[in-house]
Amino acid sequence: MATVAVQSFVSAPLQVPKVTQFKIGICQLKVTTEKSANIFNARSMIQAAAEQGASLILLPEMWNCPYSTDLFAKFAEDFSDIDSAPSLLMLSEVASSLGVTIIGGSIPEKDAGQLYNSCPVFGPNGELKAKHRKIHLFDMGKPLPGEVQFKESDNISAGEKPTVVDTDCGRIGIGICHDIRFPELAMSYSARGAHLVCYPGAFNMSTGATLWELEQRTRAVDNQLYVASCSPSRDSAGSYMIWGHSTVVGPMGEIIATTGHEEAVLIAEIDYAVIQWTRESLPLESQKHNDIYQFVDLLRESPNS
Amino acid sequence: MATVAVQSFVSAPLQVPKVTQFKIGICQLKVTTEKSANIFNARSMIQAAAEQGASLILLPEMWNCPYSTDLFAKFAEDFSDIDSAPSLLMLSEVASSLGVTIIGGSIPEKDAGQLYNSCPVFGPNGELKAKHRKIHLFDMGKPLPGEVQFKESDNISAGEKPTVVDTDCGRIGIGICHDIRFPELAMSYSARGAHLVCYPGAFNMSTGATLWELEQRTRAVDNQLYVASCSPSRDSAGSYMIWGHSTVVGPMGEIIATTGHEEAVLIAEIDYAVIQWTRESLPLESQKHNDIYQFVDLLRESPNS
């Protein structure tokens, strides 16, 4: 037992972004073993989403690379050298040419001899605005009967901080797949004033059926904000079968749009006024008992950050 | 922004209770305007649950009194004077005569001129082992179109602490209705070593349909423990229509037993070994990043309490 001094923050007020009502496009794409084909396909689906009016576009976890540990190093890109990073270069170009914001799912990132499972965020000017490295790696313990052992940290290093990014389409928090299992991450995003939390993820058939929708609805309703997820399609290449079912959830836990397990572009309307109505109708934040418990975000820099 | 010094605790290890495999009986009873009839009916349903093998029995929120603010004072009982408290006296007597543990839902409690929404817990010797006062009162803000204004704190005072109680059937945390909306309470119970969190609750038709099952499954799966809820039946007297659907959820979010909206005794098997398997299979607790965020339980007295 140690005594730690922590700063007690109140939640940051919601800022008004450039756009408060917009369409989000979710690209549930099929990942193949050919990186260049994946890049071409992702670009086509981003374009299709933009043609349907999406100004914010979300890609899946590991969209340029099958989820196979032996391929991560080969498919990895260096986020500090975009000109030599074909996947990032495409995202930058397409964001700029279509004038959209892209939450770029994840790809393997290489940095100083380490690999990360990282989400790039591009603004409509093609700028790399942010990067989220998956914090909570999916490391199974003792498999239950019928389960296959899986330990992501054998190949991937963990991110060390939450990521919120101010975009034209609002303040967005990012979690990758297993990050969704930790209520603390979504709580930190909510307290930092996020309108939306995006979870690229590739849940498997077992956890997908039981937890994928549940966790998304929960993070939305407990924090009274929007949640969007994007999975690869089930027929993607890789070492395990993927659940699919990319989804957008509103701040009252309502499913606004969802899809099956096949390749699809999912379009959903988001209206941040609903967050305000929801919070005015039931002010959960002010009902919390900070005399009994406190959630502490150790890395939050200032009360309004 | 204030700086507070907090003690950093690890989660308490799970203790092995007297019974690790048992049946829980959930009495989804019909509340009427007659207190004596409610007491008689509750006793009959507790007996029916015990006859079906239940050794732990859960009652609904406000089972002796319709949920009508004008009746709370009239139906309230003084927990410090059980001999003058007909509802508590019955629970003590029936717990002792049947040899069961009763998580007594809630009744209005009167204490020093205040009213509370309080859950009594009786052991199989008839002793009042614990009392939980509802912490998070259901105070709506600005009603959405079609919603009816409701402010519980107009009539009820809030509890000031979480309640965990060691029973023959495990360490049990208690939350009443709106308490379930706050992940922090269940997190504090999990960290204090609870096997099961019991939520007596009377969700209404709107929040019932959208949130009742979701929140129970979430609290179970995020904390990898059992959750049990007990509602009055829909045809109960009172100022609003009740959702019903009392439920028992396992540590992987699986619904073990549930019921509709009519009066019913629901029996479910609980096996605390499942908690252990679940945590060994996916050790969420050890995957938390306490370097990034911390949940602080300000009232926890010692690392093993």
Side-chain angles (χ1 to χ4, degrees), chain B residues 31-53:
Chain B
V31 181
T32 73
T33 54
E34 293 293 327
K35 184 173 174 179
S36 61
N38 295 333
I39 293 173
F40 180 79
N41 188 33
R43 197 192 184 290
S44 302
M45 289 184 78
I46 291 166
Q47 187 153 0
E51 282 167 2
Q52 291 176 69

Side-chain angles (χ1 to χ4, degrees), chain A residues 23 87 90 101 210 212 231 241 251 260-261:
Chain A
K23 287 183 182 167
S87 307
M90 179 278 285
T101 297
T210 54
W212 178 240
S231 168
M241 195 174 279
H261 60 76

Side-chain angles (χ1 to χ4, degrees), chain A residues 2 4 6 8 136 139 141-142 178 184 210 215 217-219 222 280-281 287-288 292-294 296 298, chain B residues 2 4 6 8 136 139 141-142 178 184 210 217-219 222 280-281 287-288 292-294 296 298:
Chain A
V4 291
V6 295
S8 182
H136 303 89
D139 286 353
K142 199 165 95 182
H178 197 48
E184 294 89 346
T210 54
E215 293 283 28
R217 292 186 59 212
T218 293
R219 301 301 168 241
D222 283 348
E280 283 170 7
S281 160
Q287 294 177 0
K288 288 187 189 285
I292 298 178
Y293 48 71
Q294 282 186 28
V296 180
L298 294 164
Chain B
V4 291
V6 295
S8 182
H136 304 89
D139 286 353
K142 201 164 91 181
H178 196 47
E184 293 89 346
T210 54
R217 291 187 59 214
T218 293
R219 302 299 169 243
D222 283 349
E280 284 170 6
S281 159
Q287 294 177 0
K288 288 188 187 286
I292 298 177
Y293 48 72
Q294 281 185 30
V296 181
L298 294 162

Side-chain angles (χ1 to χ4, degrees), chain B residues 9-31:
Chain B
F9 291 90
V10 295
S11 286
L14 286 178
Q15 305 297 315
V16 179
K18 191 169 169 185
V19 181
T20 62
Q21 272 185 291
F22 61 91
K23 286 184 183 164
I24 183 171
I26 314 275
C27 301
Q28 180 168 297
L29 54 81
K30 174 180 173 175
V31 181

Side-chain angles (χ1 to χ4, degrees), chain B residues 130-290:
Chain B
K131 169 179 78 178
H132 177 72
R133 289 173 167 171
K134 186 176 188 174
I135 297 170
H136 304 89
L137 300 178
F138 188 60
D139 286 353
M140 289 175 61
K142 201 164 91 181
L144 294 173
E147 281 187 341
V148 178
Q149 184 56 273
F150 195 91
K151 195 168 181 205
E152 191 172 24
S153 66
D154 282 345
N155 301 282
I156 298 282
S157 301
E160 295 178 344
K161 59 184 181 62
T163 306
V164 279
V165 51
D166 280 314
T167 73
D168 289 355
C169 300
R171 186 169 287 185
I172 299 175
I174 299 169
I176 299 176
C177 204
H178 196 47
D179 281 341
I180 201 174
R181 293 295 308 273
F182 299 84
E184 293 89 346
L185 188 62
M187 288 162 89
S188 79
Y189 290 148
S190 179
R192 292 180 187 210
H195 301 91
L196 165 67
V197 184
C198 287
Y199 292 104
F203 267 44
N204 62 36
M205 296 295 286
S206 153
T207 56
T210 54
L211 299 180
W212 179 239
E213 182 182 298
L214 178 76
E215 293 284 28
Q216 291 177 61
R217 291 187 59 214
T218 293
R219 302 299 169 243
V221 85
D222 283 349
N223 297 292
Q224 300 184 308
L225 44 63
Y226 280 89
V227 164
S229 69
C230 186
S231 167
S233 67
R234 188 167 300 165
D235 57 354
S236 292
S239 54
Y240 70 90
M241 197 176 277
I242 293 169
W243 176 242
H245 295 273
S246 302
T247 299
V248 181
V249 183
M252 287 186 281
E254 70 280 21
I255 293 172
I256 297 171
T258 189
T259 186
H261 61 77
E262 298 184 341
E263 198 165 61
V265 173
L266 182 69
I267 303 287
E269 301 261 4
I270 285 183
D271 180 356
Y272 289 147
V274 178
I275 299 177
Q276 205 63 39
W277 300 337
T278 304
R279 296 182 182 184
E280 284 170 6
S281 159
L282 192 64
L284 288 180
E285 177 66 29
S286 67
Q287 294 177 0
K288 288 188 187 286
H289 276 260
N290 287 327

Side-chain angles (χ1 to χ4, degrees), chain B residues 41-105:
Chain B
N41 188 33
R43 197 192 184 290
S44 302
M45 289 184 78
I46 291 166
Q47 187 153 0
E51 282 167 2
Q52 291 176 69
S55 48
L56 179 68
I57 293 169
L58 177 59
L59 297 184
E61 184 182 20
M62 289 290 176
W63 62 264
N64 81 341
C65 174
Y67 206 105
S68 294
T69 52
D70 54 325
L71 296 176
F72 291 159
K74 180 165 176 260
F75 283 63
E77 299 187 5
D78 179 348
F79 281 50
S80 66
D81 180 16
I82 290 187
D83 287 333
S84 307
S87 307
L88 299 177
L89 198 62
M90 179 279 286
L91 293 180
S92 170
E93 172 274 315
V94 76
S96 158
S97 70
L98 299 173
V100 295
T101 297
I102 298 177
I103 311 292

Side-chain angles (χ1 to χ4, degrees), chain A residues 219-238:
Chain A
R219 301 301 168 241
V221 86
D222 283 348
N223 297 291
Q224 300 184 308
L225 43 65
Y226 281 89
V227 164
S229 69
C230 185
S231 168
S233 68
R234 187 167 301 165
D235 57 354
S236 293

